């Protein structure tokens, strides 16, 4: 009798521990280079990792967060002309959906802010500086997470079909950036 009771208690404790572990380990997401891009918290309508790096959030039913959708729109308006549709690249400029997998967030930001020019090629490729262009700079994180989602194959090509709602916090942040 005593043995059974102990075994039962142990089984219950084990079941509870497994449930806890299962919850904590839900949906960890890492880049091929090992960087953790799991969304941990939302601020001003945008998702961030535990390290405070912008990231996207994909729901199980395929809904993508609003900021990533915003990134799709801004990419299509400002970057597509040189970098090709959907982050796929062109004969002129690199595939950014690949670039963001190897380049870290701060390097990405630096290039978008200050531009980049390959000086030792005959092709004369120029990446313009966008640091003072609010239509880009206010959405630089949105474009980044959109490209991450494309690179990780979490978003198909084209306009995202299902997106989350635009929050009041997102709108407030957008207004202060565009008018500030
Ligand atoms: C006028 C054309 C043009 C536009 C518009 C443009 N880019 Fe670029 N971009 C380039 C070229 C060309 C390069 C390659 C430059 C080099 O390697 O020196 C580049 C390189 C980059 C890189 C570095 C990629 C790597 O793998 O090293 C990033 C990041 C980038 N662009 C982001 C953006 C974003 C984000 C936008 C839209 C806001 C944008 N670009 C719009 C032409 C453009």
């Amino acid at each position: 009798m005593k043995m059974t009771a102990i075994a039962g208690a142990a089984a219950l404790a084990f079941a509870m521990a497994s449930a806890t572990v299962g919850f904590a380990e839900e949906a960890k997401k890492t880049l091929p280079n090992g960087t953790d891009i799991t969304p941990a918290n939302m601020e001003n309508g945008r998702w961030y990792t535990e390290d405070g790096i912008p990231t996207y959030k994909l729901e199980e039913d395929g809904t993508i967060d609003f900021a990533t959708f915003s990134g799709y729109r801004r990419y299509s308006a400002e970057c597509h002309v040189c970098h090709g549709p959907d982050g796929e690249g062109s004969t002129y400029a690199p595939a950014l959906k690949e670039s963001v997998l190897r380049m870290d967030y701060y390097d990405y930001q630096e290039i978008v802010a200050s531009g980049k020019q390959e000086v030792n090629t005959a092709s004369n490729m120029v990446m313009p500086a966008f640091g003072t262009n609010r239509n880009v700079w206010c959405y630089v994180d949105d474009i980044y997470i959109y490209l991450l989602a494309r690179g990780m194959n979490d978003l198909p090509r084209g306009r995202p079909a299902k997106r989350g709602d635009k929050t009041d916090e997102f709108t407030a942040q957008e207004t202060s950036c565009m008018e500030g």
Side-chain angles (χ1 to χ4, degrees), residues 104-116:
D104 84 13
Y105 166 67
Y106 298 103
D107 292 340
Y108 159 87
Q109 256 200 344
E110 171 67 31
I111 291 173
V112 180
S114 310
K116 186 181 173 196

Side-chain angles (χ1 to χ4, degrees), residues 74-75 77-83 92-96 98-100 102-103 107-109 111-112 115-119 121 124-128 130 135-137 140 143-144 147:
R74 297 294 160 173
Y75 176 88
E78 309 286 347
C79 320
H80 171 143
V81 59
C82 293
H83 288 278
Y92 181 70
L96 296 181
E98 315 283 345
S99 301
V100 295
R102 60 177 164 73
M103 166 181 294
D107 292 340
Y108 159 87
Q109 256 200 344
I111 291 173
V112 180
K116 186 181 173 196
Q117 183 160 14
E118 205 66 75
V119 286
T121 61
N124 206 21
M125 309 209 301
V126 178
M127 165 64 194
F130 287 105
N135 288 317
V136 172
W137 200 247
V140 66
I143 296 170
Y144 175 75
L147 292 167

Side-chain angles (χ1 to χ4, degrees), residues 29-42:
K29 207 177 262 292
T30 49
L31 298 185
N33 70 10
T35 307
D36 183 5
I37 58 160
T38 312
N41 46 66
M42 190 186 233

